[in-house]
Amino acid sequence: MLLSDMGADVIKVEPPEGEPWRLLAQFVPKESRGYISLNRGKRGLALDLSRPEAREIVHRLVPEMDVVLVNYRPDVAVKLCIDYETLSALNPRLIYCDNTAYGRKGPQAHLPGYDIIVQGMSGVMATEAKSLNGTPQIAAIPVADYSTGIMMAWSVCAALYHREKTGRGQKIETTLLGSALAVQNSGFQVVESVDTEWRERFLEALARGRREGHNIDELRKILINARPTLVIGNIHYRVFKTRDSFIVVGALSAALRRKLCAVVGVEDKRIGNPNYDPTTPESRAYARELVAQAEAVFLERTTDEWLALFDEAGVPAGPFKFTWELVDDPQVLANDLQVTIEHPLAGAVRMVGPALQMSETPLAVQGSSPALGQHTDEVLSSIGYSAQEIASMREAGVFP
């Protein structure tokens, strides 16, 4: 979708029954909100790739292609004859982006995987701190899937630039696991001279907690207790309840923290104090008291009242909103972050538009998501298949 918004002619190849996300929570036959939201601007080609006739169609398409994106287990592409070695032999200038769940090496390379599984094994689910009766819950935003889509589009653009310079295509390998770790970079790093002892202590405590059957909330307490340098009592980068809703504040610099405290009417003696030690019991008690003071003050005004005060003082802050509240949001509309698309089955659909703009090569939505197999005849005709050949293959079940 990201590449389509940049003007690419994208052909999405699906099995005759439709890809899984098309079929999950359908609101009209063969159409789901999730599918529509992520497949705009593509042409739809439905093929049974287990059939040799269907593989031949792909092989006739590839010489005219710039990029192929493949999203299978490592063994599947080989079985379907759409692996890099096969397709690059047909088009040496091809950019082939191969996405897998865990990579092509290691003990889990052969396994299938989805966003929810990678959220669990990468730490995203634990970091999100969402639980139900002590059981971890999936993050509402599919972090691994979405960040991998961005990684794929980014790497494809870089590979196309390299090809313009050298004339050579190449293979790109992206993974859900790699993307999930990349967006957690600061939480993943270990400074050997500082964190090694803590990490060993934490892992030992965590293993003991798991043996004793602790739930996720209890395991998080183990993390907090195992790390003595954990900073608590944060009032400058958090959400506060107001008289009528919530407000989000973010004041990272010392100057902004002082402004925040001035508006709220509290004093934070930690700001600019090089001798402050957050690990002592006294410091922890002070931090908890400071948070309690701030929480009480924020309850005295509405969100809009606080926003006006922070705007005047130059303190970064914003309202807490649900996604649907942004459909008619003036800021969203003013920056063309919403588009309306006419879908062949669903009618008018409003969705998030391109997230960036470029002066010389402006982005634009190329159309709605395709109905299942909507462009099959069009695509096959463009690579030389006659109407009779198309009808014959349809009757044989190569495509619907």
Side-chain angles (χ1 to χ4, degrees):
M1 185 190 76
L2 299 176
L3 294 170
S4 171
D5 285 352
M6 287 184 165
D9 177 12
V10 180
I11 300 173
K12 182 182 180 76
V13 181
E14 298 181 67
E17 67 275 12
E19 63 124 301
W21 289 110
R22 179 191 282 279
L23 306 175
L24 185 68
Q26 303 170 55
F27 67 94
V28 294
K30 302 285 188 181
E31 299 291 335
S32 70
R33 293 180 185 275
Y35 180 86
I36 288 176
S37 71
L38 296 174
N39 287 278
R40 69 177 181 224
K42 306 176 186 181
R43 291 195 284 167
L45 174 62
L47 292 176
D48 180 358
L49 288 177
S50 68
R51 303 283 296 267
E53 303 98 320
R55 294 197 290 270
E56 173 60 26
I57 290 171
V58 172
H59 292 175
R60 285 175 65 167
L61 277 168
V62 164
E64 306 299 322
M65 295 290 105
D66 293 297
V67 179
V68 167
L69 308 173
V70 175
N71 185 42
Y72 284 118
R73 293 195 318 268
D75 61 305
V76 173
V78 174
K79 291 177 182 177
L80 297 179
C81 300
I82 56 172
D83 54 292
Y84 174 67
E85 287 71 23
T86 299
L87 299 191
S88 64
L90 300 172
N91 181 358
R93 288 171 51 84
L94 188 69
I95 308 299
Y96 185 101
C97 185
D98 181 26
N99 183 61
T100 58
Y102 315 113
R104 290 185 162 272
K105 301 174 184 176
Q108 294 171 307
H110 66 290
L111 296 175
Y114 289 100
D115 178 272
I116 187 173
I117 301 170
V118 173
Q119 280 194 32
M121 66 180 293
S122 67
V124 167
M125 202 176 285
T127 303
E128 276 284 292
K130 291 170 57 178
S131 67
L132 180 64
N133 299 324
T135 299
Q137 299 295 297
I138 183 175
I141 305 300
V143 177
D145 277 350
Y146 281 20
S147 59
T148 300
I150 296 169
M151 296 282 187
M152 294 171 78
W154 169 43
S155 59
V156 163
C157 290
L160 287 169
Y161 180 77
H162 175 265
R163 192 181 71 176
E164 288 299 304
K165 294 290 187 180
T166 66
R168 298 194 303 272
Q170 63 178 296
K171 181 182 181 181
I172 301 165
E173 295 184 8
T174 58
T175 68
L176 298 184
L177 179 59
S179 301
L181 291 177
V183 297
Q184 300 182 92
N185 190 32
S186 60
F188 183 78
Q189 66 181 344
V190 176
V191 181
E192 296 294 342
S193 61
V194 177
D195 293 328
T196 300
E197 181 182 349
W198 166 78
R199 181 173 179 273
E200 291 174 355
R201 189 162 65 248
F202 165 66
L203 291 175
E204 181 182 342
L206 186 61
R208 184 171 63 253
R210 283 176 168 153
R211 287 196 303 270
E212 295 171 358
H214 293 309
N215 63 36
I216 187 63
D217 300 314
E218 293 164 333
L219 292 176
R220 288 197 189 97
K221 292 178 183 177
I222 291 174
L223 169 61
I224 293 172
N225 294 330
R227 187 166 193 175
T229 57
L230 185 70
V231 177
I232 63 171
N234 159 29
I235 67 168
H236 62 270
Y237 203 80
R238 60 172 293 162
V239 180
F240 285 100
K241 190 174 184 346
T242 64
R243 198 167 74 200
D244 64 343
S245 182
F246 300 89
I247 189 170
V248 187
V249 297
L252 285 179
S253 70
L256 288 174
R257 293 183 196 183
R258 290 189 181 96
K259 290 180 180 180
L260 171 66
C261 289
V263 174
V264 178
V266 298
E267 180 185 4
D268 188 349
K269 66 182 183 183
R270 301 171 300 182
I271 301 174
N273 183 356
N275 299 317
Y276 181 79
D277 182 358
T279 66
T280 66
E282 295 78 14
S283 296
R284 289 173 178 267
Y286 171 78
R288 284 191 289 269
E289 175 58 28
L290 186 62
V291 169
Q293 288 181 36
E295 288 176 337
V297 174
F298 271 95
L299 289 170
E300 296 173 358
R301 290 184 168 93
T302 67
T303 294
D304 284 344
E305 289 170 340
W306 281 117
L307 288 174
L309 291 171
F310 286 137
D311 184 26
E312 184 179 355
V315 176
F320 169 84
K321 293 186 177 183
F322 291 93
T323 306
W324 273 32
E325 293 182 83
L326 300 179
V327 171
D328 295 307
D329 186 271
Q331 188 66 27
V332 171
L333 298 176
N335 288 277
D336 299 320
L337 292 174
Q338 181 184 140
V339 295
T340 300
I341 299 172
E342 194 65 30
H343 188 275
L345 299 177
V349 177
R350 284 197 280 176
M351 62 171 60
V352 178
L356 60 94
Q357 287 299 332
M358 302 169 69
S359 63
E360 299 301 317
T361 54
L363 280 66
V365 173
Q366 305 301 312
S368 69
S369 61
L372 180 60
Q374 179 179 344
H375 303 96
T376 300
D377 291 28
E378 174 186 308
V379 173
L380 267 61
S381 297
S382 71
I383 53 175
Y385 286 94
S386 67
Q388 183 177 355
E389 289 174 311
I390 293 172
S392 177
M393 285 189 287
R394 178 170 283 118
E395 186 176 350
V398 177
F399 44 78

